[in-house]
Each structure stands twice: as C-alpha cells, then as structure tokens.
Amino acid sequence: MIINLKFDINILSKKVLCEELNALSVTYIIHGFGEIEITGMPSTLNMATIKEKLEAYGIEVISDQQLALIQRIKDAIAVLINDENNYKKYNISTYLSETLDYSYDYLSTIFSETTYTSIGNFVILKKIDVAKSLIIENELTLTEIAFKLNYSSVAHLSTQFKKTTGLTPSTFQKIIRKRKERQVML
Amino acid sequence: MNLKRLFSSSKVYVFLVISAIVVLIFIGSSSYLKLSALRKASDAISHTLEVEKEINVLFSSYSKLESAQLKILLRKDTPVNSGNFQKYLKNADASHQRLKILVSDNTSQLYHLKRIDALRNGLIDVLSFITNPQKSNIRVSDNLIKKLEDLAYIMAELEQHKQFMLAKEDILLRDRKSDYQSQVFLTPMMNLMLGIFALFVFIVSFVKINKERKIRANSEAFLASVLANTENIVNYYEPVFDENNKIKDFRIKYANARNKIDLKLDPENMKGKLVSEVLPFVKLHGEFDKLLTAYTEKKSFNLNRQVKLNNEFIWLESNIRPLSGGLLIVAKNTSFEKESVARLNNLNDKLREQYEELKDTEEFLKNVIKSTSNVISYFEPIRDGENKIFDFDILYTNEQIKETVGHNPDDIKNKKMSEVYPFLMTDGVFDFFVESVENNKTISYEKNYVFNEQLFWFYSTIIKTGTGICVTSQNITTRKENEQKLIEANEELKIQNTILSDAEYLAQIGSYRWSNKSGESTISDNFCNLLSCDPKSFKVNHENYKKLIHTNDLEKYELELQQAQEKNKPFSLSYRVITKANKIKHFKTWGHFQNHQLIGVVQDVSDVIKAELNLKEKNEELKRSNDELESFNRVASHDLQEPIRKIQMFISRIADEDLDNMSAASKSYFEKINSSSERMRMLIKYLLSYSRINRTKNDFEEVNLHHILDKVQEDLEDRINALNVSLVIDDLPAVKAIPFQMEQLFNNLISNAIKYRGLENPRIVVGFKKLKKNEITDDFIKKSKSYYRISVLDNGIGFDQEHAEKIFELFQRLHQKNEYSGTGIGLAICKKIVQNHNGHIIANSTLGIGTAFYFYLPAE
Amino acid sequence: MALHTLNIALADDDEDDRIVFKDAIGALKIKTKLSLFVNGKELMDYLTLPNVILPEIIFLDLNMPVKNGMECLREIRENRNLNNISVAIYSTSSSENDIEETFINGANIYINKPHKFSDLQAAIERVLQVNWQYQTSILNRDNFLLRI
C-alpha cells in the first residue's frame, strides 16, 4: 500500500524536542525561533548529553560559543554606534576584530550564517534603529542626530533612513506621534 | 578838626594848665638849684684860694721862723727877737689850725698837714736848739751844722709838702673853676627860658580867655535874641525856700519877650516876681507839685493843657526841665495850632474819602481797559500854523494792541500817527479822525488791514474826548472769517446736495428722516422712486411707511428699531417691502437716532439678493458635480488599477516562465502588450494622482522649497547622473503649501525638462523672484498683495509659444507617443496643484532654444 | 533561519493575488509555511483559536469583504496574544494619508502590491529578512516600520 505523506517539519521537530527534553527532566521554554531556554536540569545531566540526544534527530545545537560570539558582535556594534567619538576613528572591521580578537572574515562569516544578514547591513539597521529612538525622544534635532551617528550630513541620514524604512524621518515621527495619541485616546 | 576840638575841650585846658604849672615849677626849681650850685662852685673856688693862701701863710710863717732863727744865729743876738719867733709860731700854728679846718674834707691834705705838723715840731726843735747860746762854739758848730742840716732837711720836706698841697689845691682850683664856668653859662639861660615859657603860657591863656569871653558874649547875645524872638515862652524859675527849707514857691528869674504876646504879661514886670502871683494857674491842677518834682528829682516833664489867664483861655504846651538850680520852662501857645489841626484833620478826612473814590474809579477804569478785548487808543491832534490838523499824537494805547499789530504800547506812546500807522493817513481813517475832532462827531467804520502777514478786520469807533479823540477798535476778524466760511459752506452744501441726489439714483439709495413730530418727517426723492410712489401721494411719516413693510418682516423691523433706540446703537436691518407697484423689494437700511429723529438710508438690494441666491445655487451645483467627479475619478482610477496590476503581474510571470520559449512574433506581440499595459498603468497612476489633488486647509504648512528640491533631486538621481543633467537651484523662498504637492509639482516640471532635453547636456535652473501684485503682468485673479514667481528654465527642445496654454490641458500632448513617452497629464497635474495654492502657472518657450515655466505662489 | 520555518499568514480576497503571493514566497530560499485566508473574518477566527500556532508575520489586504484589513489590524493590535505578530499591509495603491493611517493603527510594514513578479519576490524576501532581525536582535520592535 502506498500512502503519501507530508511532513510538517516544524511540528515534527518541536514534538521531538519536547519529548526528549521532558524525558531528560529538563525544564525549558520554547521561544519559537529555533531557540529554547533551558530553565533547569538535573544535576546529573550535562549539556553534552542533551546535545547528543538531539543530534540523533538531526536537531543541531548551535554551540553556545557561536551564539555568544554573535551576541558579542551585536553588542559591540551597539556600543560603537552609541559611542560617537570612537565610531569616527574606527571602521567596523578593525574595531570588531580588535575588540573580539577574531579576524573580521571569520566574524562576518559566522554572523551572516547565523543571522542571515551581513554585519554591514546589521550596522545600518542598528544605526537607523538608534536614529528612530532619538527621533521619537525629540530632544535632538535631525542634524544633531546625524552628527551623533556619524553621518556626513542630514541628507545622508535621511537618505539611508528612507532606504531602510521606506519612510522619511519626518513621516516616521509623525506616524509614531499619532500612534501614541491614538493609544492615549484608547 | 580833632585838634580844634582838642583845643576847645576844657579837660585839655586843665591838663595844659597843670602841665604849665609843673613845667614852671620844674624850671624854677632847677634854676634855683643851678644858682645854688653856682654859689657853691664859687665858694669852692674861694675856698681853694683860701687854702692856698693859708698854705702860703703857713709856709711863710715857717720860713719866717727859719729866717728869724737863722738871723739870730748869724747875729748872735740876744734873744731880743725871740718874741718874733713866738709870734711866727703862733701864726704858723694858727694858720695850721685854720688850714686843718679848711682841708678837713681832704684826706690827703690832712695827711700832709699831719706830716707838716710833725715837721713843725721838728722844726721847732731844731730852731730852738740853734738859738741856744749857751752852748760851746766848737760843739755847737758840729751840732749846729747837723742841726742846720736837719733844718734844711725839714725845710725841704716842708717845702715839698707845701708844693704837694699847692699842687693839690691847684688841681682843685682848676676843676672848680671849670665847674663854675659851666654853671655860669647854663643858669642864666635857664632863667631866661623860664621867663619866656611863663610869658608864653600867659599869652595863650589870655588869648583863650579872650576868645571864650567873646564867644560867651556872642552866645549870650544870640541867646538873648533867640529868647526874644522865639515863639515860645521861655521862663526861668528859681525855687523859693521856706523856713523848713522846703520849696514853697518859685521866683521868675527870667522871662522872655514872648510872654507879652502870648500871655499879655510884660517880662520886665515878671522878673523877680513869684510864679504863683503872675501865673496863678500853676497852683491849680497839681502843676505846682509837678514843678516841685521836676526840681527835686531833676526830671523833665511836659504839660499840654488849657489855662485861664486874665479871663482868657489859652492852650499851652509846656516843657519843664531842671536847669542849674532852677527850672527852665518852655511853653508854646498852641491854641491856634489846636484849632488848625482840628480843621486840617477834617480836611484830610474829606480828602482821603475823595482819594479813595478816585482810586476806585481809576482801578475800575484800568480794569475795563485791561479786560476789554478792544484796542483803545487816545490821540491828540497836531495842528500846523494855520490850525489845521495834519497829524495826531498817540498818547495812549492799551495792551490789546500787542495782540493785533504786535506793537508794544510803551513803544508807540507819544509817537506820531504818521510814524506808527502811516497807512491810516491815506485810507480815510485820518479824515475820520479829523472830522470827529473838528465837528465833535462820533464816527464808526469797518476796515481791514494786514499785520504780520495776517488779515485783520476791525470795527472802530471814534469819540471826541477832551481835546483829542478816543478810538475803540474791535477785532472782528473771526466774525468776518466766519461769515465768509458760512457763505462758502452754503455753496458747498448746495453742490453736495446735487451730488447726493445723483448718487442716490445711481446706487438705488433713498434717504429718510423719521421724526416724532408730525410734518417734520422727510424722505428723499429717490426713496419715493424706489417705492414706486408719487412723492405727493402719501403723508410722509414713519407709521405710513411701516404699512409698506412686508408682514413677515414687520416684527423684526420693530424689534430692531426698539433695540437701536434703547441701546443707542445704529439701526441696521434687511427687510422686504411691497411697493406701490405691488412688487416685492429687498431693502437694506442703515440709520441712527439723533435728537429723537431717525435718520438713515435704505438701499434697494433686491438685485443683489437675487444674484446672491443664483450664485449660491450655482455654487452648490458646481460643488456637487465636482465632488461627483472627484469621487468618480478616484474610484475609477483605483478600481482600474487592480486589473492593470494583474495584467502586468501575469505578464511578468509569463515573461519569467516562457519568454524564451515564445516565437519571435509572439515575443513582439507580448512586448507590445507589456508596453501598452505599462502605459495604461502610468495613465491611471497619474489620473489617480490628479484626482487626489485637493485642498484641505490642514495640509498647508511652511515648506522649505530647498528640502522639496532635495527630495526631487534624490528621486531623479539616477536619470540626472546618467544623462549628465546640471540642475542649478538658486535661492528659493519658504512658502505656505502642501509639501507633497510641491514635490509632485517640481518633480513633474524637472522630469519634463529632462525628458524634453536638447542635444547638449541638459541644464535646468530653478529660481524665484518676489513681485508685488501690481508688478505682475500675467492675467489671473490676484488675491494676494505679493507673489513669489518661481521659475524652472531649461535648454531643451522647446515648443511653439502658441501652444503655451494648451499644454496644461488634460491629455494634451504635443508629440507622438513614439517620440516622447508621456501621459499628457503631468502638466495638468502641475496646473491643478498651482491652482490649489491660489497661484498661476504659465509657460514661455522658443522652439529649439528652451522652455521657461513660471508659477506664482502667494507670498503671505 | 534556514532551519526554522517561518509561519506566515495572508488574507486577501483576490484569488489571483493569493496564488501569485504563494508562488513568490515558495520561490524563496527561506523555509516558510503559508496560511491563506479569503477575508478578514476567516483570519481573525483562525487567530483566536486556542492553542493555535501563531504566524510570525501576517500579510493583510485592505479591501476585503466582511471584514477588511483595517478592522483586522485593529483587532490584532488590541489582542494581547496577537500583539507580538508583525503585520504587513499588502495593498493596492493608496493615498499617502491612508498609508500613514495603517502605520498609525499599528501596522509594521506596508507593501504596495507590485506589478512585477520579481518585485514581489524581492519585497517579500526583504520583509522576512528585516522582520527576522527585529525578532532576534536588540532592535526596538516598537519602532519597526517598513514601507516598500
């Protein structure tokens, strides 16, 4: 008898994960994005065992080290963007490789593999994100924000902002403001 | 002067007398002393001489002794001559004694004398010895020689002493002689001086005494004459004492001549008599006691009383004063004075009254002249030889002259009329003056003058006063001016009235005046015209008028009327009337209450109202149609977008899947479908965009056109870079606009400029100019006072200027599809946007050269 | 992300649009699971089921019968359970105001329905990628706005 099967990998993998972890008496929270948080496990157990068990099902545990490194890269980038003085001196590649003590090639490879975006892209995203926060705070002018984030001009910031978000800084500000008004009314 | 006073002062005299006496005594005593000194000096001399004599005697005695004894010796006589020895010795001793007395004051002489005395004794011894004959010759001779030697020695010593004494005396004598000499000279001198001084003093005293005597004599004479001629009674009383040394009466020691005149008493008879006898009134009224007091206490007093004497009453003013042991009475018969004084007082009072009256009058007059606004002057005529008046003196002008002519009254006083007012001499005023003076007439006239570039009118009156004339001039300039103004105003009013009537007719206005009092209400002619009624046909008053008001509007009419009257605000209302021609007209009235009258205008606004209604209707229609159109547009565009998107989507799918597999023909067909659909999409997109352009007030904001252009530049960046477009943006203003629409506007214009570029590198210049309303030649309704004219100039292919207006129409294109792609909507969108902003857009172009697009935006 | 399958939902009343979308997403390297709904009501009914696996991104058309995109958007944003889901409005050309309105009402993304297939693919890919960054990184999700 031939039956056609369709696998839902998502459900499958999730089910396997849960069963295995439960069997190991591990308490966990599924964050839903290929990420689980281990909240507790028996003292007799160690990560290596869990990893082994999961790998049998083809569930690869991304080594903590790698993730941690990604996180560190992201944190480092965040720090650099917020520190306007240093940002002018360094370029990203030198800064990251010096700070994290890895070659930039290695870092960028790891980064793009894990996050599906390049460090460059991420930096832009992060900068625009910071810009968005500053715009909403409304304490600095656009010029000041541009300067703080090391853009050569307001126009440059506006251009990148529009490219990244599809909106002009002013439109963005207007939308957020109206959103808040709407929320207050509710 | 002081010296004179000094001389006449008695004290000085006393002093002088005393000093003279002193001097005399001094001189006298000194003379005396000098004399006695002289005497002494001469005494001394004689004494010295006597001493010398005595010395000589003594020594001659001794010599005699010696010689006698020697004689004896020689003669070996018997002592017959021994008696001589004793005689000589006695003489010597006596002389010695005498000498001793004489030189008792001179110690050295005394000493000498003592020595001499001693020597005498020796001498005696020696002499006695040698005269003794009993002695032997031999031994005697030895002893004798020795003795003779001793004798010679003694004699020599005596001689010495004698010489000493004599010398001494000589010296003394010399001294005393000189002394005497000096005395001899001074003493008589002094005596002489004494005599002269005494004489001098005597003469001076004599002169002085004489002078005094003369003066006294003069004074006495003067006094006597004064007393004799004085108008006062001058009497001198001496007190008469009784047994108890109390004053019981007074005796008249002196009475002057006046007594005769005033008291009718003979002064000679009076003298020596008692006061109580001659002037019995003294004993009355305590006068006597007063006299007593005056004398005893040495006090003066006055009496002023009426006394009776010899049956006559006399007023006496007496002054009683003590004077060297008596009383000096100086009295005056003041009866006459008293009466005179009384009369004078009367006169004075009368005079004062008169004076007061006069002062009041003067004051009054002064005030009148001061307070008047008229110029008052007084002129005195000046006559020539033939008594003809040829000029006038200006004796007085009041202050008012300053206000008019400007002269200071003081400056022109006493000047001639011909000097100060030369013009009056010739314009007839002088003749008036003369006439007034000569004929005693009062003349009035009116004249005008120019002073200080101002025109004055005066009304003057001339009145003869005394020898001259008093001229009063009233400044009637204002009155005259007012008269003139009134005339002019009247004329003006007439003209105004005519204009007003014409204006009323043109504007379809009527004016009214409603009064509470009957018969006073009026309405203008044109008002009647408006009401289509005959002016005479109805009684003009408010009530009758109200009958013409439309019944529906009457209530609000009354209400408004009442409110206007109560609150004192203007009466403004629109209402309807039914005219006499049975037509309904709309009236608009504006009036106000004044003095219980309602004055105002009405305007026939029927036409206006009608037109308004029409317009409103048309507007609404238009709006509706517009709205419909817009929504149609929007919906259509939007709904059309769907199918076209689908078409394109599937075109792209086919292209992705099977384009390579298609035949060449299919490919080309496919391509045409693609491009057509794309075209359609653009058309719809623009149409949608076009339909979306509307104006909401909220969307207007202050737009910085530079920001807009930056955005546009960004949007077109690729094409600008690829085609080497040089986009020059000059200064641009900030305008009140819808940002998104501005972006569209510039985007379209610049895109066009790029699209319709020429052969050379495209160059686009964007700039602006601010212009005032009246500077703009282009024809559009300019609501704003000034505009920004923004220009977009290019060096593209240009177009024929005759199409300049067509290009802004929807779907109008000047080129074939295959030449230049385009929808024909772009510029229509631009026009709509500009119109949205109350602006205007025009295009200027020259084929082959380039194009200029100008659009105006309001600058406020 | 490669291993992870993204759950995506699309609500659009137009069948053609749904097919095209599905094709576009299918061609992506990213592993996705797409749920399709014909109108807003269906979508909301699904989302409010208990124990349902919620999509990470919801694509919403605006013009739908029964319940249109705006209503859905509001409901999603008001629902605490659904608040974390990124919402992308996937619609035909609208006026600027309307677009802003969607953002104001809580949409994270607005996609103008492209005319070309490749454009659609690129758009979806971009959305997914950016969304992934916001899900996994230190970026502020509240300010996640993207317009294509």
Side-chain angles (χ1 to χ4, degrees), chain B residues 163-217:
Chain B
Q163 289 306 324
F164 273 136
M165 287 183 78
L166 280 174
K168 221 26 170 295
E169 291 302 311
D170 264 339
I171 292 165
L172 274 174
L173 182 68
R174 211 174 39 230
D175 290 338
R176 284 173 183 175
K177 246 189 175 168
S178 67
D179 188 34
Y180 176 74
Q181 290 295 356
S182 62
Q183 302 278 8
V184 148
F185 176 71
L186 272 177
T187 311
M189 210 38 96
M190 292 213 65
N191 280 335
L192 188 65
M193 269 172 53
L194 176 69
I196 290 169
F197 184 71
L199 191 64
F200 170 71
V201 168
F202 176 69
I203 291 170
V204 163
S205 314
F206 176 73
V207 165
K208 188 76 189 113
I209 288 167
N210 205 28
K211 225 201 273 182
E212 292 289 314
R213 189 186 57 79
K214 273 206 194 128
I215 289 171
R216 189 154 49 83

Side-chain angles (χ1 to χ4, degrees), chain B residues 492-743:
Chain B
E492 189 65 29
L493 216 67
K494 278 198 202 124
I495 297 169
Q496 298 272 17
N497 267 343
T498 323
I499 296 173
L500 196 68
S501 301
D502 292 340
E504 279 192 7
Y505 183 71
L506 185 67
Q508 298 196 66
I509 291 177
S511 53
Y512 57 83
R513 189 201 291 183
W514 303 125
S515 170
N516 293 339
K517 304 191 189 138
S518 72
E520 272 196 20
S521 303
T522 52
I523 58 173
S524 71
D525 290 341
N526 206 37
F527 200 164
C528 292
N529 284 341
L530 291 176
L531 294 171
S532 307
C533 68
D534 191 356
K536 319 271 189 291
S537 69
F538 76 106
K539 208 166 153 201
V540 176
N541 64 32
H542 208 174
E543 293 309 314
N544 281 344
Y545 175 69
K546 284 184 195 168
K547 290 186 189 144
L548 295 174
I549 297 176
H550 197 291
T551 32
N552 291 350
D553 294 340
L554 192 58
E555 199 179 314
K556 72 171 178 180
Y557 186 89
E558 293 283 15
L559 186 67
E560 184 64 27
L561 200 65
Q562 189 185 12
Q563 288 226 339
Q565 192 160 19
E566 280 173 14
K567 293 184 188 165
N568 201 21
K569 65 176 172 105
F571 172 58
S572 159
L573 185 67
S574 294
Y575 58 94
R576 290 163 292 176
V577 291
I578 305 173
T579 67
K580 292 280 181 181
N582 258 339
K583 267 174 75 178
I584 297 183
K585 282 198 179 173
H586 290 259
F587 275 2
K588 194 172 156 123
T589 184
W590 183 273
H592 57 273
F593 281 94
Q594 197 169 317
N595 298 339
H596 304 291
Q597 290 184 337
L598 178 61
I599 303 169
V601 291
V602 288
Q603 186 176 27
D604 183 359
V605 292
S606 316
D607 296 337
V608 170
I609 300 248
K610 212 177 279 177
E612 266 179 28
L613 266 166
N614 241 356
L615 202 67
K616 213 163 160 195
E617 272 177 42
K618 288 250 162 63
N619 258 354
E620 270 164 25
E621 242 186 74
L622 216 68
K623 193 159 182 293
R624 249 176 296 138
S625 129
N626 260 354
D627 286 340
E628 269 180 38
L629 225 63
E630 281 222 32
S631 55
F632 172 77
N633 248 350
R634 204 177 322 121
V635 168
S637 312
H638 186 265
D639 291 346
L640 282 172
Q641 279 204 323
E642 270 289 320
I644 197 59
R645 186 179 58 83
K646 288 251 185 86
I647 291 170
Q648 288 201 304
M649 177 61 75
F650 287 115
I651 285 174
S652 77
R653 290 293 262 128
I654 295 173
D656 289 342
E657 299 270 323
D658 284 323
L659 190 63
D660 301 323
N661 296 342
M662 272 191 241
S663 62
S666 295
K667 257 194 206 161
S668 80
Y669 300 148
F670 189 76
E671 193 47 48
K672 287 191 202 298
I673 295 171
N674 196 14
S675 60
S676 288
S677 64
E678 178 60 24
R679 204 183 138 63
M680 191 167 167
R681 184 177 79 88
M682 294 309 286
L683 275 168
I684 293 170
K685 180 177 163 185
Y686 277 110
L687 262 179
L688 194 60
S689 173
Y690 181 82
S691 76
R692 284 218 180 108
I693 298 167
N694 46 24
R695 172 213 324 230
T696 357
K697 282 215 176 70
N698 308 339
D699 295 337
F700 275 82
E701 37 183 270
E702 273 296 305
V703 176
N704 183 339
L705 290 178
H706 282 283
H707 290 165
I708 301 288
L709 272 148
D710 286 342
K711 258 189 169 177
V712 168
Q713 221 173 343
E714 229 179 87
D715 287 342
L716 304 172
E717 197 177 342
D718 299 331
R719 280 171 72 198
I720 290 172
N721 289 339
L723 298 167
N724 240 351
V725 177
S726 136
L727 179 56
V728 177
I729 302 171
D730 283 341
D731 236 5
L732 289 175
V735 294
K736 206 143 186 239
I738 302 170
F740 180 67
Q741 290 184 9
M742 284 292 109
E743 202 183 321

Side-chain angles (χ1 to χ4, degrees), chain B residues 229-243:
Chain B
N229 294 323
T230 182
E231 288 179 352
N232 294 333
I233 298 168
V234 181
N235 294 343
Y236 186 72
Y237 303 159
E238 259 183 9
V240 174
F241 294 97
D242 62 4
E243 311 84 41

Side-chain angles (χ1 to χ4, degrees), chain B residues 766-784:
Chain B
V766 181
F768 93 104
K769 199 169 173 186
K770 188 169 180 186
L771 294 170
K772 286 210 211 41
K773 187 170 162 179
N774 47 19
E775 291 171 331
I776 300 169
T777 48
D778 295 308
D779 188 19
F780 64 98
I781 300 170
K782 306 169 187 87
K783 283 195 192 158
S784 190

Side-chain angles (χ1 to χ4, degrees), chain B residues 189-287:
Chain B
M189 210 38 96
M190 292 213 65
N191 280 335
L192 188 65
M193 269 172 53
L194 176 69
I196 290 169
F197 184 71
L199 191 64
F200 170 71
V201 168
F202 176 69
I203 291 170
V204 163
S205 314
F206 176 73
V207 165
K208 188 76 189 113
I209 288 167
N210 205 28
K211 225 201 273 182
E212 292 289 314
R213 189 186 57 79
K214 273 206 194 128
I215 289 171
R216 189 154 49 83
N218 279 343
S219 309
E220 274 181 20
F222 177 69
L223 188 70
S225 76
V226 162
L227 284 175
N229 294 323
T230 182
E231 288 179 352
N232 294 333
I233 298 168
V234 181
N235 294 343
Y236 186 72
Y237 303 159
E238 259 183 9
V240 174
F241 294 97
D242 62 4
E243 311 84 41
N244 301 329
N245 240 10
K246 280 217 176 119
I247 302 169
K248 62 169 182 181
D249 204 335
F250 285 88
R251 197 177 295 281
I252 303 174
K253 260 302 192 191
Y254 172 79
N256 74 338
R258 191 74 192 185
N259 283 291
K260 186 91 193 243
I261 302 167
D262 285 335
L263 305 177
K264 311 240 179 354
L265 297 169
D266 187 7
E268 297 304 317
N269 285 341
M270 285 171 71
K271 284 188 187 154
K273 297 247 175 66
L274 289 169
V275 166
S276 49
E277 275 178 48
V278 181
L279 308 167
F281 58 80
V282 166
K283 285 283 184 176
L284 302 169
H285 305 298
E287 266 190 46

